[in-house]
Amino acid sequence: MKVDVLLGLQWGDEGKGKIVDVLTPKYDIVARFQGGPNAGHTLEFEGQKYVLRSIPSGIFQGGKINIIGNGVVLDPALFKVEVEDLQKSGHNLTNRLLISKKAHLILPTHRLLDAAYEASKGDEKIGTTGKGIGPTYTDKVSRNGLRVGDLLHNFEEKYAKAVARHREILRNLNFEYDLIPLEKEWFAGIECLKRFQLIDSDHFINKALTEGRKVLAEGAQGTMLDIDFGSYPFVTSSNTVCAGACTGLGIAPKRIGEVYGIFKAYCTRVGSGPFPTELFDETGQEMRNLGHEYGSVTGRPRRCGWIDLVALRYAVMVNGVTQLIMMKSDVMDAFETIKTCVAYKIDGIETEDFPFEITDNVEPIFVEFPGWQTDMTKMQSENEFPEEFNAYLTFLEESLGVGIKIVSVGPDREQTIILNS
Ligand code: GDP
Ligand code: IMO
Ligand code: MG
C-alpha cells in the first residue's frame, strides 16, 4: 500500500483540516508528519467547530488510528488542553491516538526563546506563532533536543540540562521571564502524554502498509512556509513539502501515492514576509470579512490577496502534486471580477518561474476573469456550477497542469463537492 499525502500549497490555512476529515473514511490511519501547535486545523460538522493543533484531523471519523509522527514537535501543555477539549465534547481518544517516541518535545523554555528571538529581531521579526517551533527544531538539528521517548529514561536529568542551557541563552538576550507557571502546566501535560501509547511510529506505519492498510499523511503550514522552498527567512522551521512526509514518518519515497495539493481560490498569509499579490484596499478587506480570515490559533488578521499562480506552479512542482483541491471558492461568490497572477515582472523582465526570493521588486501580472456572482454554498454537484466558475477552474487546471478533484464551497464537512470529470 501507498501513503497519500495532503499538504498546503500556499502560506498555510488552506483548509487542510476540513479536507483530511472529509477524506478520512477512505483511510485506516491518519498521520501528522511535521509542524506542531503553530498549526490550527479547523473542522466543522453537525453545527460544531473544532480547531486541532497537534492531533491529526482524522480523529473525528470513528475507529480510525491517528498518529503524531516523528517529524512533529509536541508541546505537552497545549496537547493536554487539546485532549481535554476533545474529551469534553465527547470524543474519546484512547487507543485511537498514538504518539511517536521520536517526536521532539517543545519545552517551556523553547517558547520563551521564541519570544526572545522575535523581540531581538525588532522590525525584522518573523511574526511567529510564539509556540517555540523554531527553537525546538533548532535543538533537534543541533542534537540537543528532548524526544517523547526520553520520558521513559532519565528524563529529569535531561530536562534540567536542556533548561540550564536555555536559561543561559535567555540571560544573554536580557529576556525576563517567569518559568514557574509555565513549568507547572508543562509537567501536568507530561502526565497527560504518558497516558497515551508512545510508539515506534516508523515501524508501526510500515507494518500497516505491508498489511495493506491505507495511510493519509497530513501536512501542516504550506509550501511557501517550507524551510527550504518557502519565502525564507519568513518561513516555519520544518519541511512542509511532500518530502517531509518521508522524513516525518519514516516512509520511503517509493511509498508515496497520491499527493493532494490544497489551495484557496485566493490567497492569505499570517505574520511577516513578502506576499506579491497582497491587497491593501477594500477588496482585501472584503476577502478578510467574507472568508473570516483571522488566525485560528492566534486570532491575528490574515493578509489577503489574489491567487498567485507563479507560486502555486512552483508548489505543484516541488511536491509532485497529483490532485488539486480548491477551497473557499464561496468567498469569491460575490466578486464581479476575479484576478489571477500569471507571471511576475522583476526589474522589468517578465517571468513565470518562481524566483530565488520575492522582494519589493516583484510586480504581479494579472489576468482577469468575470466573477460567477452566484451563491455556491448550497451546491451539491458540479452540474450546478455556473459557467464562469467552470471557466475559472479550467484556466487554473491548465495553468497548473494538474486536475482539480475537489471544490469546497463552505466550512462544513457537507459543503464539499467531489468532481468526477
Ligand atoms: P488549515 O490550517 O489548512 O486546516 O486551515 P484553517 O482551519 O486554519 O483555516 C481555514 C478556515 O476556512 C477555517 O476557518 C475553515 O472552517 C474555513 N473553511 C474551510 N473550507 C472553507 C470553504 O470552502 N469556505 C469557507 N467559507 N470557509 C472554509
Ligand atoms: P496551518 O497548519 C499559517 C507562520 C507564522 C509565521 C511563520 C513562522 O494552520 O496552516 P512559526 O511559529 O512556525 O515559527 O511561525 O509561519 N505559520 C503559519 N501560518 N498557518 C499555519 O499553520 C502556520 N504555522 C506557522 O504566522 O509567519
Ligand atoms: Mg490553520
Side-chain angles (χ1 to χ4, degrees):
M1 274 290 162
K2 300 261 186 186
V3 177
D4 294 342
V5 183
L6 183 138
L7 44 80
L9 298 181
Q10 296 164 318
W11 275 285
D13 302 328
E14 296 90 349
K16 298 174 290 292
K18 167 180 165 163
I19 295 298
V20 168
D21 171 65
V22 167
L23 294 175
T24 296
K26 291 199 334 191
Y27 294 89
D28 302 297
I29 296 172
V30 178
R32 264 282 296 271
F33 61 86
Q34 45 68 235
N38 48 348
H41 293 181
T42 315
L43 294 83
E44 284 190 43
F45 55 91
E46 293 160 11
Q48 296 288 323
K49 179 170 163 173
Y50 303 91
V51 181
L52 297 171
R53 291 169 157 195
S54 302
I55 296 177
S57 304
I59 204 74
F60 297 105
Q61 302 275 11
K64 308 293 173 153
I65 298 284
N66 283 255
I67 297 177
I68 297 180
N70 61 276
V72 172
V73 289
L74 193 61
D75 183 332
L78 294 176
F79 174 75
K80 177 171 178 277
V81 173
E82 208 173 325
V83 166
E84 286 172 354
D85 282 350
L86 287 176
Q87 280 168 345
K88 260 184 243 155
S89 56
H91 295 93
N92 180 21
L93 307 179
T94 321
N95 298 327
R96 297 210 298 122
L97 179 64
L98 313 177
I99 302 164
S100 174
K101 283 194 233 167
K102 288 186 176 147
H104 277 246
L105 288 169
I106 302 176
L107 272 51
T109 40
H110 283 132
R111 264 206 261 176
L112 296 170
L113 285 169
D114 197 351
Y117 288 136
E118 281 286 86
S120 71
K121 281 184 187 249
D123 286 348
E124 288 170 5
K125 71 174 196 282
I126 308 291
T128 73
T129 58
K131 299 291 181 286
I133 306 297
T136 307
Y137 278 117
T138 301
D139 272 357
K140 173 179 176 172
V141 173
S142 65
R143 296 157 294 182
N144 287 307
L146 277 188
R147 299 185 292 175
V148 168
D150 288 325
L151 292 174
L152 311 172
H153 312 282
N154 287 342
F155 182 66
E156 303 285 317
E157 201 181 304
K158 289 175 190 162
Y159 176 82
K161 205 167 148 192
V163 169
R165 207 169 45 78
H166 293 162
R167 279 184 178 278
E168 181 67 27
I169 304 171
L170 289 163
R171 199 167 22 249
N172 290 335
L173 290 168
N174 290 322
F175 192 77
E176 289 184 15
Y177 58 91
D178 180 5
L179 191 55
I180 293 166
L182 294 178
E183 278 190 328
K184 196 167 165 239
E185 283 173 10
W186 196 81
F187 279 102
I190 289 289
E191 290 313 307
C192 170
L193 194 56
K194 282 183 179 164
R195 290 197 286 274
F196 285 83
Q197 282 184 56
L198 311 180
I199 62 160
D200 294 310
S201 57
D202 35 12
H203 286 292
F204 186 97
I205 292 174
N206 280 285
K207 190 160 173 272
L209 291 170
T210 305
E211 288 168 356
R213 287 198 275 164
K214 295 187 76 180
V215 179
L216 176 63
E218 173 179 1
Q221 291 80 55
T223 303
M224 288 297 122
L225 289 170
D226 180 273
I227 184 74
D228 282 282
F229 301 105
S231 48
Y232 192 86
F234 299 99
V235 292
T236 191
S237 301
S238 65
N239 278 121
T240 63
V241 293
C242 186
C246 294
T247 56
L249 295 176
I251 47 171
K254 69 176 182 191
R255 290 276 204 191
I256 302 291
E258 296 296 331
V259 180
Y260 302 110
I262 181 165
F263 65 98
K264 290 181 197 185
Y266 51 103
C267 195
T268 64
R269 164 160 216 176
V270 215
S272 326
F275 180 2
T277 60
E278 183 169 10
L279 290 165
F280 300 95
D281 57 7
E282 279 170 17
T283 310
Q285 188 57 44
E286 205 178 342
M287 284 180 190
R288 190 170 304 113
N289 292 344
L290 292 168
H292 305 291
E293 295 295 359
Y294 295 90
S296 32
V297 173
T298 56
R300 289 183 290 177
R302 293 178 184 148
R303 299 157 63 192
C304 296
W306 296 114
I307 197 166
D308 180 343
L309 295 175
V310 180
L312 269 181
R313 253 194 312 272
Y314 178 71
V316 165
M317 175 183 85
V318 296
N319 290 299
V321 171
T322 61
Q323 299 190 26
L324 288 166
I325 301 175
M326 185 163 89
M327 308 300 291
K328 303 193 95 160
S329 46
D330 54 296
V331 175
M332 301 279 99
D333 279 356
F335 283 73
E336 226 171 277
T337 305
I338 292 169
K339 290 192 188 183
T340 62
C341 165
V342 293
Y344 292 162
K345 196 180 254 184
I346 305 172
D347 297 328
I349 300 168
E350 211 173 297
T351 177
E352 292 186 358
D353 288 337
F354 195 73
F356 163 67
E357 64 184 350
I358 326 173
T359 60
D360 290 344
N361 287 348
V362 172
E363 185 195 326
I365 298 174
F366 291 107
V367 167
E368 288 190 9
F369 285 81
W372 40 95
Q373 297 189 277
T374 309
D375 178 1
M376 290 185 64
T377 56
K378 292 184 189 61
M379 289 188 182
Q380 292 288 307
S381 131
E382 62 186 303
N383 301 332
E384 298 170 72
F385 287 172
E387 205 179 299
E388 295 84 353
F389 184 75
N390 280 329
Y392 187 59
L393 278 191
T394 305
F395 178 77
L396 295 182
E397 287 181 325
E398 282 171 4
S399 302
L400 300 172
V402 183
I404 297 176
K405 299 294 177 195
I406 299 178
V407 167
S408 176
V409 293
D412 195 273
R413 199 188 253 176
E414 303 295 326
Q415 291 172 298
T416 313
I417 302 173
I418 315 279
L419 311 193
N420 301 312
S421 47

